[in-house]
Amino acid sequence: MTPAFLPHLPCLPSRSHTTPLCSLQPQSPPPRTPARIALDTLIATGWRSAAGVTSDVESTVERLVSETNPTAPWPDALTGRWDLRLSTETPLVRLLQGDVADVYQVITGRGRLQNVVCFANGFELVVDSDCELSEDDQRSVEFKFTGTVIRLPKVFGVALPEVRIPFAVGKGEFRVVYLDDIRIDIFDVKSGERWINVYSYAGPAEKCNAY
């Protein structure tokens, strides 16, 4: 699907293209299909409840992808800030059961991906990654962790220095199966599980302070 909301943003690099993939012109919002309405209803329940609605998320995503033709041309831009709305990812769901205020992801045009977890006590955990489109599947994004940043809460309104941990282990890949003002990613993990993350678009990456 063509994203209906993205302004002119930087491009996510692709190893299989001689020129970078650029964003498309904004278009009209997609139709509100029954499956999309069902997904919006699940999102309204809040991402903290995702652990209890895994089957509902899976079935709704399957219907939504079927209705919107997942073989349509891959959209050119993924850059921006994406707020997490629902997740069936086991480690992430466990994390969300703690004192978490917000979770979001930032993808920049320089091939950088950041996962940001904001805790209610003011601490923030930022995991940096390099990312690029897969050579084998242009709907898939490959990422490799490059470092971790811990942001400390302000003291009397004064920002404290960040704590940078350059060591980070791991890499992976997620496949984007739906994209308009909502983005749906699927992870197939070695255990045989299939994890789903649902994000909503929150604005251009250039306006975020996450990098």
Side-chain angles (χ1 to χ4, degrees):
M1 292 186 64
T2 298
F5 54 92
L6 291 174
H8 294 289
L9 295 176
C11 308
L12 187 68
S14 170
R15 293 178 296 177
S16 61
H17 285 67
T18 56
T19 56
L21 297 177
C22 300
S23 58
L24 298 176
Q25 295 283 349
Q27 296 188 3
S28 301
R32 311 297 289 182
T33 65
R36 176 56 196 269
I37 293 172
L39 180 66
D40 290 341
T41 300
L42 284 174
I43 290 173
T45 67
W47 46 260
R48 291 181 185 276
S49 66
V53 294
T54 296
S55 60
D56 291 337
V57 172
E58 291 175 345
S59 61
T60 301
V61 167
E62 183 177 353
R63 287 173 52 202
L64 183 61
V65 172
S66 175
E67 288 179 0
T68 54
N69 183 15
T71 61
W74 171 241
D76 292 331
L78 285 173
T79 54
R81 168 171 165 160
W82 297 89
D83 291 346
L84 182 68
R85 296 304 185 193
L86 290 169
S87 179
T88 67
E89 183 177 341
T90 303
L92 185 55
V93 170
R94 290 172 182 165
L95 177 65
L96 297 179
Q97 292 172 349
D99 197 13
V100 174
D102 196 13
V103 179
Y104 62 93
Q105 190 178 81
V106 174
I107 301 177
T108 76
R110 297 182 295 278
R112 188 175 182 185
L113 182 152
Q114 290 187 317
N115 289 292
V116 183
V117 180
C118 305
F119 295 91
N121 59 9
F123 283 87
E124 294 184 7
L125 177 67
V126 183
V127 179
D128 288 315
S129 306
D130 291 330
C131 68
E132 61 186 356
L133 298 182
S134 170
E135 289 182 333
D136 301 324
D137 182 358
Q138 289 294 294
R139 289 177 176 270
S140 295
V141 177
E142 298 175 348
F143 61 90
K144 182 178 181 180
F145 298 126
T146 58
T148 303
V149 174
I150 299 175
R151 295 179 183 152
L152 305 176
K154 293 182 178 180
V155 177
F156 301 111
V158 178
L160 299 176
E162 298 178 337
V163 178
R164 292 190 172 271
I165 306 173
F167 181 73
V169 177
K171 61 182 179 179
E173 179 178 329
F174 59 85
R175 189 169 191 267
V176 182
V177 296
Y178 183 88
L179 179 64
D180 50 34
D181 58 326
I182 294 295
R183 191 184 103 215
I184 302 176
D185 301 342
I186 289 181
F187 292 81
D188 289 313
V189 293
K190 293 181 178 179
S191 65
E193 291 182 275
R194 169 165 288 188
W195 295 338
I196 298 173
N197 287 325
V198 180
Y199 298 87
S200 64
Y201 181 72
E206 289 80 4
K207 294 183 180 181
C208 300
N209 60 2
Y211 58 92

